[in-house]
Amino acid sequence: MTFDELNLIDPILKALKEEGYTNPTPIQAQAIPSLLQGKDLLGCAQTGTGKTAAFAIPIIQLLYNQREQERKRKLTSTLILTPTRELAIQIGDSFEAYGRYTGLKHTVIFGGVSQHGQTNALKHGIDILIATPGRLLDLMQQGFVDLNHVKLFVLDEADRMLDMGFVHDVKKVLSKLPKQKQSLFFSATMPPEIVKLANTILHNPVKVQVAPVSSTAEKVTQQLYYIDKTNKKSLLIDLLKKKDMHSVLIFARTKHGADRIAKDLTKQGFKTAAIHGDKSQNARQNALNDFKNGVIKTLVATDIAARGIDIDNLSHVINYEIPNQPETYVHRIGRTGRAAASGIAISFCDAEEREYIRDIEKLIGQKIPVIESHPYPMQDFTPVPKSTNDRRHQKKGEHQTQSKATSNNNSGRKFKGEAPRSENRAQGHKKLSSKPKFNSNKY
Ligand code: AMP
């Protein structure tokens, strides 16, 4: 199927052509026709499937086809709620790209930065508002946002909203929306709480589902190097020198580790940046832009900082450390197999991490091919002692708490003055939960 067969208007087809899209991804082919008919939609899909265009394209078309008088009023007729700033910015970029020939206006609002530019854009009138829940509620309370004219509502990454403790904020926003509207609900997973929330929002939705997480691994070429911890740095440098790696995302477990790797690579003459929870929003965005534009070819990230970032044409993902959650491995390597692309994922595994590899192979249902011949074969085969084993299980539990706490950490509190309400609330939530067993400042 091609986009030409989806009854799209010329200004959109022209923009898609410029983006280099010819065939809709499965979620786009399934969702676009129903959305154009005005139906509600329940989408089970994660980033990397083309889900943003699956909702952005029909929304642009529906708004463009409104009566001219209506279009001129710029009364915020679409609201898109998404959990992170990075995702909000990416969704904004998508509307910019696909809607560039329609004259529709959008703006993106999120916490952690001054609200001035955002309120200015709102005052001038916009058609599409893309927002994270905390800042949206803030600006609503200050009277800058009027949601009375919303006809289209999208809840993006609902399960992550739940993870990050934003569901109450989402419900508050929902209570301010007009009853009569078209609603779209996206979530990568559908636990009972999410299904319940979806049921309160959607009316007779069309359901679309695309490839579950574990299948992402199939289109990525995976390579596994068994190596001692002390040699990982040398192997990384060798690979970066020899291989044709034009854009490499390197995953580190801690922000300290990410900084150290970036420093080592910079010393060796590789243009590199690190992104993690300690970097300001601007520093992260600059690093991301430099990486996307090819100014730097290597980017080192922690899992938390990399969540949801969308980078086209990533040639390689390197797991400098193996994650202790197998799903994290799948999310990491999925970054190099976006949409139609395929890529290479390389993992460095030391003696202590071998158990994590076993868990990962169980989840993806395949053995990761091992590179046997390399200059730094593993010498230290010391089996993981029982105490370390216990620590590993403890770590698993910690990781879950860690995602929540660091997500909060990540959501902008360290920026002065602007802490959105939800973030304060999430902080409260963190305090209420059992004492964290880890140092959340590490990530
Ligand atoms: P998403 O799942 O929305 O994060 O999209 C993943 C990536 O796929 C983004 O970089 C999009 O630009 C790209 N993409 C989306 N739809 C298509 C398409 N039909 N053809 C090629 N690339 C696409």
Side-chain angles (χ1 to χ4, degrees):
M1 180 188 264
T2 64
F3 279 109
D4 293 330
E5 295 163 59
L6 285 176
N7 292 324
L8 298 176
I9 50 175
D10 286 340
I12 294 179
L13 287 175
K14 188 175 168 196
L16 293 179
K17 210 175 221 171
E18 285 177 13
E19 287 298 301
Y21 298 1
T22 35
N23 306 104
T25 65
I27 191 163
Q28 292 161 6
Q30 290 176 61
I32 292 173
S34 306
L35 291 174
L36 289 176
Q37 286 169 22
K39 294 191 177 145
D40 281 6
L41 182 118
L42 177 64
C44 188
Q46 59 185 60
T47 48
T49 55
K51 80 174 155 71
T52 315
F55 65 77
I57 292 170
I59 286 174
I60 292 168
Q61 178 144 331
L62 288 167
L63 297 188
Y64 188 83
N65 284 345
Q66 290 178 131
R67 279 177 306 140
E68 201 181 336
Q69 236 178 348
E70 195 120 347
R71 253 198 289 155
K72 278 189 182 153
R73 291 166 74 200
K74 307 267 171 241
L75 285 177
T76 311
S77 45
T78 298
L79 172 68
I80 296 153
L81 271 188
T82 192
T84 69
R85 291 175 281 187
E86 280 82 3
L87 279 169
I89 291 169
Q90 274 162 34
I91 295 171
D93 289 348
S94 298
F95 274 95
E96 181 73 41
Y98 315 141
R100 67 170 73 101
Y101 299 113
T102 60
L104 292 168
K105 278 195 167 178
H106 72 274
T107 201
V108 183
I109 64 175
F110 49 81
V113 292
S114 157
Q115 69 175 46
H116 185 69
Q118 301 174 0
T119 52
N120 252 356
L122 290 167
K123 277 182 208 158
H124 284 101
I126 45 139
D127 300 287
I128 301 149
L129 178 59
I130 301 139
T132 55
R135 177 55 64 92
L136 177 62
L137 281 171
D138 260 3
L139 297 188
M140 280 164 69
Q141 267 170 6
Q142 293 177 52
F144 288 110
V145 183
D146 175 7
L147 297 179
N148 287 322
H149 304 277
V150 168
K151 291 180 186 146
L152 280 151
F153 169 65
V154 182
L155 184 61
D156 186 34
E157 309 246 336
D159 50 354
R160 208 185 289 181
M161 292 276 195
L162 194 77
D163 268 0
M164 293 173 77
F166 289 158
V167 159
H168 292 290
D169 289 339
V170 170
K171 285 182 181 164
K172 241 182 236 172
V173 173
L174 275 169
S175 71
K176 305 284 180 210
L177 295 177
K179 288 245 159 342
Q180 192 72 24
K181 62 186 175 300
Q182 186 179 356
S183 300
L184 289 59
F185 187 107
F186 290 91
S187 192
T189 56
M190 290 286 168
E193 248 181 294
I194 290 296
V195 174
K196 215 167 123 191
L197 181 66
N199 286 339
T200 64
I201 299 175
L202 303 170
H203 300 285
N204 277 335
V206 173
K207 293 178 185 156
V208 297
Q209 181 163 18
V210 291
V213 167
S214 51
S215 66
T216 321
E218 283 160 19
K219 55 184 175 179
V220 177
T221 305
Q222 300 168 72
Q223 298 173 349
L224 178 59
Y225 288 79
Y226 283 110
I227 186 166
D228 294 334
K229 197 175 264 166
T230 47
N231 284 329
K232 285 187 175 183
K233 178 176 142 187
S234 306
L235 177 61
L236 177 65
I237 290 166
D238 279 12
L239 289 176
L240 290 176
K241 276 184 184 158
K242 281 185 210 142
K243 296 232 173 184
D244 177 26
M245 296 185 166
H246 59 81
S247 57
V248 189
L249 184 57
I250 302 164
F251 281 97
R253 197 153 26 211
T254 63
K255 56 195 181 191
H256 175 71
D259 279 337
R260 204 193 50 236
I261 297 167
K263 214 166 135 195
D264 287 342
L265 293 181
T266 307
K267 252 194 221 157
Q268 294 289 324
F270 298 103
K271 286 187 175 165
T272 310
I275 56 168
H276 53 64
D278 259 6
K279 302 269 179 184
S280 71
Q281 170 69 7
N282 277 348
R284 278 195 268 168
Q285 204 53 50
N286 286 342
L288 213 54
N289 288 343
D290 282 350
F291 188 58
K292 281 185 175 179
N293 298 331
V295 178
I296 55 171
K297 293 193 167 30
T298 45
L299 184 68
V300 193
T302 58
D303 290 300
I304 297 295
R307 268 184 150 195
I309 61 173
D310 168 30
I311 302 161
D312 288 333
N313 304 321
L314 201 59
S315 68
H316 292 75
V317 161
I318 296 183
N319 295 307
Y320 194 88
E321 279 138 355
I322 309 297
N324 55 5
Q325 290 277 311
E327 290 82 5
T328 303
Y329 174 84
V330 179
H331 283 301
R332 285 183 181 184
I333 72 166
R335 304 189 161 279
T336 183
R338 291 287 163 112
S342 64
I344 297 176
I346 299 172
S347 300
F348 297 175
C349 175
D350 63 37
E352 269 190 41
E353 295 169 321
R354 282 181 299 177
E355 267 203 75
Y356 305 160
I357 291 291
R358 278 197 282 278
D359 289 348
I360 290 165
E361 290 181 334
K362 221 185 273 171
L363 176 75
I364 63 177
Q366 54 175 283
K367 285 264 170 214
I368 307 172
V370 177
I371 304 292
E372 304 279 0
S373 148
H374 66 87
Y376 313 98
M378 189 185 271
Q379 304 294 324
D380 176 10
F381 290 92
T382 327
V384 186
K386 194 166 184 315
S387 58
T388 321
N389 225 341
D390 292 345
R391 207 187 59 210
R392 176 182 159 256
H393 290 299
Q394 184 192 355
K395 265 189 189 163
K396 273 195 166 187
E398 283 173 2
H399 181 91
Q400 282 156 8
T401 328
Q402 168 210 323
S403 319
K404 278 182 192 167
T406 42
S407 301
N408 299 337
N409 200 23
N410 231 357
S411 55
R413 261 180 286 114
K414 37 182 190 337
F415 301 94
K416 281 182 198 141
E418 294 286 342
R421 302 169 56 267
S422 61
E423 288 158 11
N424 295 332
R425 203 193 52 65
Q427 167 83 331
H429 171 80
K430 192 176 110 192
K431 277 187 185 146
L432 278 178
S433 64
S434 61
K435 212 172 97 200
K437 298 183 206 112
F438 64 97
N439 175 4
S440 63
N441 284 333
K442 275 171 79 184
Y443 302 89

